[in-house]
Structures are given as structure tokens and as C-alpha cells.
Amino acid sequence: MTLEARILARVGDFELDMELGLSAGELVAVLGPNGAGKTSLLRALAGLLPLSGGRVTLDGAVLEDPAQGIRVPTEQRPIGLVFQDYLLFPHLSVLENVAFGLRARGMARTPANREAGRWLDRVGLSAEGERRPASLSGGQAQRVALARVLALNPALLLLDEPMAALDASTRAEFRRDLRRHLESFRGVRLLVTHDPLEAMAMADRLVILEEGRVLQSGSPSEVTQHPRSRYVADLVGVNLFRGRASNGLITLAGGGSLTAVAGPDGDVFAVVHPRTVALYRTRPDGTPRNIWEGRAADLDLEGDRVRVRLSGLPSIVAEVTPVAVRELGLDRGDRVWIAVKATEVNVYPA
Amino acid sequence: MALLTRSRRRLQSSAPFLIVILAGAGAAFFIIPLLGLLLRTPWTSAWQQFGSAEVLAALRLSLLASVSATAIALVLGVPLAWTFARLAFPGRSVLRALTVLPMVLPPVVGGVALLLAFGRRGLVGGWLATTLGIHLPFTTAGAIIAETFVAMPFLVITVEAGLRSMDTRFEDAARTLGASRWTVLWRVTLPLVRPSLIAGAVLCWARALGEFGATITFAGNFPGTTQTMPLAVYLALESNPDAAIVLSLVLLAVSLAVLIGLRDRWLGAS
Amino acid sequence: MRARLVAALLVAIAVGLVSACGPMAPVSASQSGLNGTITVFAASSLNAAFTRIGADFEKRHPGTIVKFSFAGSSSLAAQIQQGALGDVFASADQPNMQKVIQAGLTSQMPIVIARNDLEIVVAKGNPKHVEALADLARSGLVVVLCAPAVPCGHYAAQTLQKAGVSVKPASQEADVKSVLSKVALGEADAGLVYVTDVKSAGNAVEGVAIPPALNVVAEYPIVILKDSQNRALARAFVSYILTDGRQTLARYGFTNP
């Protein structure tokens, strides 16, 4: 089972233009900031947002191809969509919610209710069938929404920010829970989220979406080790630079340069972890190949570390211990020497 | 004493004085005329009036016509409201303005308009009479048409507002679960706007029950066929004001009973 | 075109000047010493005739103003009983006049100023060939009458009874104008209304006379109210109606008492 999607769609001024390939058994997370087009992607796949171009096929069957005038209506697509706030029908009981899709597809009331009851049992809510959705906790509502979709045995399962409606304190628990339920599902699974932790904890593969375009795709470790956008670099908490490399010397797009020990020539990304950035009151001697002077623009205590935002050529973020800050007598606005070893500059092609 | 001042202060801070005064005046504005009606009621002769065949016929006809008008308004008005709320088409705002026009049109003018449309020499009335043998003026059906014409806009705008304020993603969710558009309408959309449907139907019914001008102009006035309660009240006012007061009270009691009953039953007296 | 516009403007200005001068004229111009204002409650059917008479009266007695409040006789009677302030009441029937008299709100006996005959009203050209009261019983003929509660309905019932005709009306209208408009719009084939109404309705309808022997005559009594604030003027107005006003009333289709 595979999904092949080339999606061109417009919502007002916003344009979604991306390609996506998913295979069965894979759990892919589309990660991006709010407004990146994540929900539009799901709506387009579900047929709720018409494509202006491109083509979507699921297991070889064309779901939508505007050029050929093909558009399978939403209700006929073998796709299950779990909405961000679950959208359980408030006027129906929990059991009727789960049975809704079965009934809509022509199953009689009695077998539909029996089947729905089995699914409620599977998500551990067999006792809650008569309740109204409004009386459920967030986690229970999520499981009902999942059961409602899984009961239809869709070929493609879409989840829109499945954890967003949950309490932060209970998220970890429910994430494990959700992962367990998703593992039992054999179709293609796609989840969109703006929460990197959620994406990395759940997904086999990440797709980074920003302003309607795919910036990067790969396993969580690939993506975090080789960020290709400011968004990902910020998420991971590393310094990301872009520039032109020639024999280990990288001329940065934003001004300044960095020296690395190895790496490709041409357009490159360079990543420097804040913990490898050293700070000095006076110009240091010795090994570091990258030494430049900057000004401490901001100091932030984060956990047991202080993040120091430094402006200079280039600007960079350093992470040092509170003890080091005291020894340096560092304060906002102070001039300081910045040193990064060439071995700590991680270079890869752009 | 301290307790008293504290509770008074709390009252003031939670409800601005001016608002309370104006609200009181607003309530009095409704209550005093009703009080006048009640105090002037000739209670001794009221019971005789109440039991008379003519009053019962008018009451029966009023209930029949207003309920029928509400039923027609539901069948035609809900699709109209849905169209206004969900479909974008050229001329929608003009069409919407036209359909709510009876709310501002003097009902007597509405009655004349209905005569010009469905009367014997009306635009479609002639055709109705010659091909289908349907005569609307001077018939109960005519009274129902007149009441529907005046009352349906109340249903349309209430239901349209409900449809516009509803979260349409529930409809999306239903479609992703395999529901056809028809199933979505019946099993999701209409149940979700049920409060608006009920409120609209009640408003429509109440307006139909009190309808006078369009009915008497279009359907005329004949006891048992087209003389509804408001018509009976008006004519009684000409000859026997006491009877008119009693009839008004009957009309009032019936509408109050239904409105309160509905409120308890469906709108949840909270 | 422009010349005519200028002329029209000049006329308008001239008229404006003249009328603006009006109030400057001596107030006590009336030789009879009458001045001030009276309010006359009058039945709707008197509207056209009384408006004319009122204007004539004011011209005859400069400095006087006659205000009218036209409505159905029973509404007027109710208003007067509820304390509406006025000087003269002219009713379209005796029962409503009796109500006001019995309430003790009059200062003298009423005087009948006019009579109004009933007539069969039909569409112009009389397409259904209605010639007599008996024709109203014909099946297939749509007849509308006034409701028995209002004077015209009361009179219609009496007339039909006299003629020995039993009519099943399609509707009992709330007032005589509604009967007239149902016939004018073609919804009804015939109705029973006052002669004055047929006369004022214009071209859409025409009247079929009812023989005097079968006709029921509506009487219009007038009375001066007890609370009149300008009794002299009220008396002058009533006597004007009984003398010079008669011709005007006749012109509008009323018969003299």
C-alpha cells in the first residue's frame, strides 16, 4: 500500500505545492510551524480541499487528477481522518459516533452497533458507549475519534495534531497509547504536527513543511543532524549557517566565515552546536581555527545552562555554564571573544 | 447592616444601575398592557364567551392554520435557509432580501400581493383555478398561505443564522466517514442546528397564530373557514368589546401555554 | 421647457408669499365672532364629503379650524368612551351613537344629517349579469358581505331578509372598503355596499340599484359632545352641515334625511 501525492492547491493567498510518497507500515509525520499548510495537506488528501493541479494515487488508484478531470468525492475515499479537536458528533452517543461511518456505508443498525462496541472495547472504552462526547476526557475523546475512523478500515489514516487538544501533563502517556494503537494499523499512516517532540517520538520519517513547501525529509536523526532550515535548527537548538565552501573555508551568506576540517565544496549548510562554542574575555591562543569578536546581546538561563546570544560576524548562540558566566563577568552588551573548533563545524551540501 | 450594604454593593457592581432601570421599564412595557387586558376582563361573562361555538371554531381554525403554516415553512424554509447559508450564487443577497420582505411589509399589503399572485385573476391563481381547480381566496388553504407568507421569514432567518454559526467541520468529518451529502444533512447538519430549528419554528408559529392583515385581505373572513382568532377578536371589537377581550385572553393563554411548554420540553428551562 | 420651469417657480414663490402673509391678516375677521378649533370624530364613509365641507366652512368663517378624525364608527365610539377629547361625533349608524349617548357623553339629542342607501356592487360592465338581490343566491356567484358585527353587514342582512333571499357569502369582511376591494380586484363577483362607496370607487366597479321597498337606509346621526371646549363653533359647524353642507353630501351620493 502506497500513497503517491503531488499536490497543488490554493486557500486564498496561500499556496500548497508539495510532493509526498508514503508506503505501508510507515508512520510519517509532517512537521511545520502553524500556517505551514499541514491541515490543508490533510484536507486535500481527504478531498475536502480541491486540487488545482497535481495527482493523488492510493495503491495505484487515482483519487484526484485535475488535468484528467478525476476527483473521487470525500465520502468514497478509503481515507480516515482524525481531526485536531476530534469533532465527535455532540448529538450522538459515543457508541453512535463510532457506528456512524459503518451506518453511513450502509450497515444496519444492529451489526453496526455491535462492530462499534468491539472497537470501543479495543480502545478500552467499552463502558462509555452510552455517554455523550461532551462528558469524555480529552484522552477518551481521542480514542473514540480513533476508533470511529479505524472501524472503517481505511487504507490511509490521517491524524491532524492528535495531541494538541490534550493536557500537556498527560501527553506523554497518551502518545505511548496512540503509538500502540497506530502500530496495530496496517495501512498508510500520516500525522501532522507542530510539536517536534511528538513528531520525533512517533514517526519513522519526518517531512518538514514550511509556507506550503517541503524543506526537508528523512528519518528524525537525519533531519536533526542535518537541519536545512532555520525552523528545524531552532527546533533542534543548533546554529545553522548557509554559505559557499571551498577547501574547508565556508564564506557565509550572512557575513563572516567558518573553517571546517572536511566537507564538500559548493553550496553548503554548516551546523555548530551551542555547547561547542567557547567564550573568552581576551583573544585566546592555540588550536581553535575560528576566532572572532562579538557582543553578548542576550543571556538566558535554561535549565542548568546559560544560552548567550552573540551578535557578530557571524552571529551565533553559545551555551555555557552559570559558573563560566560568573568567571567571565559576562553581562549584556559586553564584548567577548568567540571560539569554535574546526572539528565542531558540521558541513553538508545544501 | 454591614451584610446588607455589602450585598447591595455586590448587586450594583454586577448589574449597572441604568441597565436595571431600563430593563425594568422594558418589562413593564410588556406587562402593563397585558395587565390592562386582565383587569378589564369581564370574568363572569368570560366563561360563556369561551364555550361558544364560534370561539371554539375560531380557536380550532387558528391552531390548524398556524401549525400547517409552520409545517409548510419548515419544508420550504429550511432548504431556503440552507441555500442562503451554504451556496454562493449571483443575486443571493437580493433573493434573501426579497424573502424576508414580508417581515417589514405591512401584512395588508402582503395580502393584496397574494391576491395579485394567487387570486382568481392573479399571475398564477387563474392557472391554478382552471387547470388544477384550486381556489385559494376565501378558503382555509388561503388562510394557511397567508400565514405562511408572513411567518416563514422568521424561520428562514433563524435557521440561516444557526447554519452560519455552526462548525461546518462536523460536516467534513461526516463526509470523511463515508456519509453522502444527504446523510450529512439529515444526521449531522439538522441535528446540530436543532436549537435554531426549534426557535425558528416557534417564532414562525407564534407569528402565524397572531396573523391578521394578510389573512383577512387574502382569505377573507368567514366563521369556520377563514375566521381565525385574531379576525374574530377584531370583529368582536366592533360589536362586543367584552367578547374581544375574552378572545384575546384565550389567544394569549394558548400561545403562552405552548411557548412555555416548548421551552421546558426542548429548550431546557435552565 | 426652461421658461415653463421659471414660470412655475415664480408661481410657487408668489403662492408662498401670499400664504406667508395669511397669519398677518386680522385674526377676528369672522363677522360671526367665531374662532378657534374643533375636532370632529366622523365615520370613514364621511371622509370625502366632510373634508370638503370642512374646507368650505373654514373659508366662510376665517380664523376657525375644523380638524377631523376619521375611523370606523365603533372605533370612534370606543375612543370617545375611553376619554378621547373632541367636539362633534358623526356616526354611520344609530347603535354606535346610542353607546355614546348612554355613556352620558352628549349634551343634546342627535340629528340625522344624511342617509346612505345600499347598492349591489359588481365589476365594471356587470359581466355576471347581476340584476337584483335574488341573483346573489345564484350558485357559482362569489358574494362578499360585511360582517354582521359592522353596520354595513347588519344592513345587508336586513335587506336580504326583506327580499327573502338567502345568500351564503364567501367572506364576511371587516368593513365596507374591503368588500369593495374584493370586487374591484375580481376575487368576488358581487357585494353589498353603500351608494357613496360605489361612487367613490371610480371605474373598476359599478352599482346595481336596490328597489327602495327592499332597501335598508343607513342613517348618519351627528351630535355635539358634552366635553366640547368650543361649543359655539361646534354648533355653527353642525348647522352649516344641515344647511349648506347638504348639497355637498348629495354630491357624494348621500341622500337627504
Side-chain angles (χ1 to χ4, degrees):
Chain A
M1 284 193 222
T2 52
L3 172 78
E4 301 280 346
R6 163 106 189 82
I7 289 172
L8 281 168
R10 296 194 138 274
V11 186
D13 283 342
F14 179 80
E15 194 184 53
L16 185 64
D17 178 358
M18 63 180 292
E19 261 179 78
L20 193 66
L22 309 173
S23 43
E26 206 182 13
L27 175 52
V28 174
V30 173
L31 177 65
N34 288 328
K38 303 187 298 290
T39 298
S40 296
L41 164 67
L42 295 190
R43 291 179 64 83
L45 290 174
L48 295 169
L49 173 65
L51 298 190
S52 52
R55 181 181 166 91
V56 177
T57 62
L58 185 61
D59 296 333
V62 179
L63 290 184
E64 190 159 355
D65 188 341
Q68 290 187 42
I70 300 173
R71 179 164 153 76
V72 176
T74 299
E75 58 269 26
Q76 287 168 27
R77 296 188 184 200
I79 292 178
L81 172 52
V82 177
F83 288 82
Q84 178 170 352
D85 34 11
Y86 313 133
L87 297 178
L88 299 178
F89 302 125
H91 59 290
L92 300 179
S93 71
V94 165
L95 186 76
E96 287 168 329
N97 261 281
V98 178
F100 183 91
L102 300 166
R103 298 267 292 123
R105 290 182 187 197
M107 198 184 278
R109 186 188 300 271
T110 315
N113 283 351
R114 203 181 308 128
E115 178 73 8
R118 266 202 292 278
W119 275 97
L120 278 182
D121 201 22
R122 207 179 291 192
V123 296
L125 291 172
S126 47
E128 326 295 336
E130 295 310 310
R131 284 169 69 180
R132 294 274 150 174
S135 69
L136 296 178
S137 72
Q140 289 172 325
Q142 186 200 56
R143 283 184 279 161
V144 173
L146 198 62
R148 183 170 75 168
V149 164
L150 292 181
L152 299 175
N153 192 29
L156 170 62
L157 177 62
L158 306 172
L159 300 118
D160 190 1
E161 306 267 7
M163 299 294 166
L166 299 180
D167 238 355
S169 57
T170 57
R171 268 186 211 165
E173 183 194 336
F174 283 114
R175 198 180 295 129
R176 261 196 314 279
D177 213 34
L178 178 62
R179 196 171 166 97
R180 190 164 55 78
H181 289 305
L182 291 182
E183 267 160 13
S184 67
F185 175 72
R186 308 216 169 281
V188 184
R189 297 163 301 179
L190 177 69
L191 114 87
V192 309
T193 178
H194 71 280
D195 179 357
L197 203 63
E198 184 178 318
M200 300 200 196
M202 310 240 340
D204 307 315
R205 189 153 64 87
L206 297 184
V207 173
I208 310 297
L209 190 65
E210 214 179 328
E211 291 176 351
R213 306 274 191 290
V214 173
L215 293 181
Q216 196 171 358
S217 167
S219 71
S221 61
E222 275 165 24
V223 169
T224 49
Q225 276 166 29
H226 302 291
R228 304 181 75 86
S229 69
R230 167 85 31 215
Y231 171 68
V232 178
D234 285 349
L235 286 180
V236 183
V238 299
N239 295 294
L240 177 70
F241 303 99
R242 188 159 186 174
R244 265 195 94 71
S246 171
N247 288 326
L249 180 71
I250 308 154
T251 311
L252 302 178
S257 64
L258 285 173
T259 305
V261 282
D265 283 352
D267 271 339
V268 292
F269 283 114
V271 164
V272 177
H273 199 280
R275 291 186 188 221
T276 64
V277 179
L279 302 179
Y280 303 92
R281 264 303 185 186
T282 54
R283 189 186 166 96
D285 317 316
T287 46
R289 298 262 296 276
N290 297 298
I291 297 176
W292 71 101
E293 202 178 11
R295 187 186 292 275
D298 222 345
L299 288 87
D300 263 322
L301 186 68
E302 275 185 15
D304 59 344
R305 287 264 163 176
V306 179
R307 279 177 78 86
V308 185
R309 222 154 44 73
L310 299 144
S311 57
L313 282 178
S315 294
I316 198 166
V317 174
E319 240 179 68
V320 294
T321 60
V323 177
V325 171
R326 204 176 320 120
E327 281 172 358
L328 284 167
L330 193 60
D331 212 341
R332 186 174 302 171
D334 289 353
R335 296 202 69 81
V336 68
W337 285 94
I338 305 160
V340 175
K341 290 179 184 169
T343 50
E344 300 290 355
V345 180
N346 186 3
V347 184
Y348 47 96
Chain B
M1 187 62 209
L3 247 170
L4 191 75
T5 49
R6 192 194 297 164
S7 68
R8 186 175 296 160
R9 193 175 305 139
R10 192 182 305 145
L11 186 75
Q12 275 181 353
S13 64
S14 63
F17 194 58
L18 184 65
I19 295 287
V20 174
I21 292 287
L22 291 175
F29 181 66
F30 287 115
I31 292 167
I32 291 173
L34 292 181
L35 214 58
L37 211 53
L38 278 174
L39 292 178
R40 290 293 165 85
T41 302
W43 290 107
T44 43
S45 63
W47 298 113
Q48 297 157 9
Q49 295 286 350
F50 183 74
S52 85
E54 200 158 317
V55 172
L56 290 180
L59 188 59
R60 193 189 59 83
L61 185 68
S62 265
L63 292 176
L64 171 76
S66 57
V67 168
S68 306
T70 308
I72 296 175
L74 279 168
V75 171
L76 302 179
V78 171
L80 199 58
W82 189 90
T83 306
F84 289 153
R86 293 294 155 79
L87 298 184
F89 55 91
R92 176 174 66 174
S93 52
V94 175
L95 188 62
R96 190 206 277 122
L98 287 177
T99 52
V100 300
L101 201 62
M103 292 178 79
V104 290
L105 203 66
V108 176
V109 179
V112 172
L114 284 172
L115 276 178
L116 297 177
F118 302 113
R120 235 175 11 171
R121 291 200 216 138
L123 286 177
V124 293
W127 176 81
L128 277 179
T130 50
T131 47
L132 302 177
I134 295 175
H135 299 273
L136 291 175
F138 309 132
T139 64
T140 304
I144 294 170
I145 295 286
E147 290 186 2
T148 308
F149 180 77
V150 172
M152 190 160 90
F154 290 85
L155 180 106
V156 173
I157 59 163
T158 312
V159 175
E160 187 195 342
L163 284 167
R164 282 185 185 279
S165 64
M166 131 182 198
D167 187 348
T168 56
R169 292 178 314 141
F170 282 110
E171 296 174 347
D172 292 343
R175 292 189 60 206
T176 64
L177 292 169
S180 67
R181 281 159 194 273
W182 188 247
T183 309
V184 172
L185 181 70
W186 278 106
R187 295 214 47 214
V188 177
T189 312
L190 293 182
L192 283 179
V193 297
R194 201 176 81 152
S196 304
L197 277 176
I198 292 171
V202 167
L203 272 177
C204 174
W205 173 79
R207 180 68 188 87
L209 188 71
E211 215 300 307
F212 170 74
T215 311
I216 200 166
T217 309
F218 178 60
N221 169 64
F222 197 79
T225 352
T226 59
Q227 191 186 73
T228 55
M229 285 295 276
L231 273 58
V233 170
Y234 181 77
L235 282 160
L237 217 46
E238 294 282 319
S239 58
N240 185 353
D242 281 0
I245 292 175
V246 174
L247 285 173
S248 311
L249 275 184
V250 171
L251 195 58
L252 202 70
V254 169
S255 14
L256 265 183
V258 171
L259 290 176
I260 292 172
L262 279 180
R263 197 180 147 72
D264 287 347
R265 175 92 174 71
W266 277 311
L267 301 180
S270 48
Chain C
M1 184 65 206
R2 172 169 298 183
R4 205 186 294 173
L5 194 72
V6 170
L9 270 172
L10 285 174
V11 169
I13 292 165
V15 168
L17 283 174
V18 169
S19 55
C21 288
M24 299 299 201
V27 178
S28 60
S30 174
Q31 290 118 355
S32 52
L34 290 171
N35 56 33
T37 304
I38 53 167
T39 300
V40 178
F41 296 113
S44 301
S45 45
L46 291 170
N47 193 326
F50 263 33
T51 305
R52 178 78 241 167
I53 292 171
D56 291 345
F57 180 82
E58 285 172 354
K59 207 177 290 171
R60 174 80 61 86
H61 302 286
T64 64
I65 296 170
V66 182
K67 283 193 199 160
F68 292 104
S69 171
F70 294 109
S73 301
S74 51
S75 303
L76 291 173
Q79 285 172 18
I80 293 165
Q81 282 173 291
Q82 295 296 328
L85 282 180
D87 304 273
V88 177
F89 173 44
S91 170
D93 66 350
Q94 292 289 4
N96 282 305
M97 180 57 78
Q98 288 308 314
K99 285 187 211 165
V100 176
I101 292 169
Q102 271 157 26
L105 297 167
T106 54
S107 60
Q108 32 129 259
M109 288 306 287
I111 309 157
V112 173
I113 50 164
R115 297 176 196 278
N116 208 347
D117 294 331
L118 281 186
E119 210 171 28
I120 302 171
V121 63
V122 293
K124 193 82 192 166
N126 199 354
K128 300 277 179 167
H129 309 292
V130 177
E131 308 297 348
L133 284 173
D135 291 335
L136 297 183
R138 224 157 60 195
S139 73
L141 196 77
V142 181
V143 178
V144 289
L145 302 175
C146 286
V150 293
C152 62
H154 181 68
Y155 295 140
Q158 282 183 356
T159 299
L160 289 169
Q161 199 185 5
K162 269 194 199 174
V165 178
S166 162
V167 173
K168 171 123 178 43
S171 176
Q172 300 176 335
E173 297 293 328
D175 52 52
V176 67
K177 299 285 180 207
S178 301
V179 174
L180 205 61
S181 73
K182 289 286 193 301
V183 174
L185 285 167
E187 283 318 319
D189 297 314
L192 282 179
V193 298
Y194 298 119
V195 171
T196 52
D197 293 305
V198 179
K199 223 176 179 99
S200 66
N203 284 328
V205 296
E206 63 181 58
V208 177
I210 298 168
L214 300 177
N215 216 325
V216 175
V217 179
E219 288 185 333
Y220 286 71
I222 197 165
V223 80
I224 294 171
L225 296 169
K226 207 167 93 185
D227 292 335
S228 171
Q229 300 297 306
N230 196 341
R231 195 168 296 274
L233 187 58
R235 213 174 283 134
F237 181 66
V238 170
S239 61
Y240 181 82
I241 294 170
L242 288 169
T243 53
D244 298 349
R246 291 208 163 166
Q247 279 179 327
T248 313
L249 284 165
R251 219 166 44 240
Y252 284 92
F254 293 95
T255 51
N256 288 328

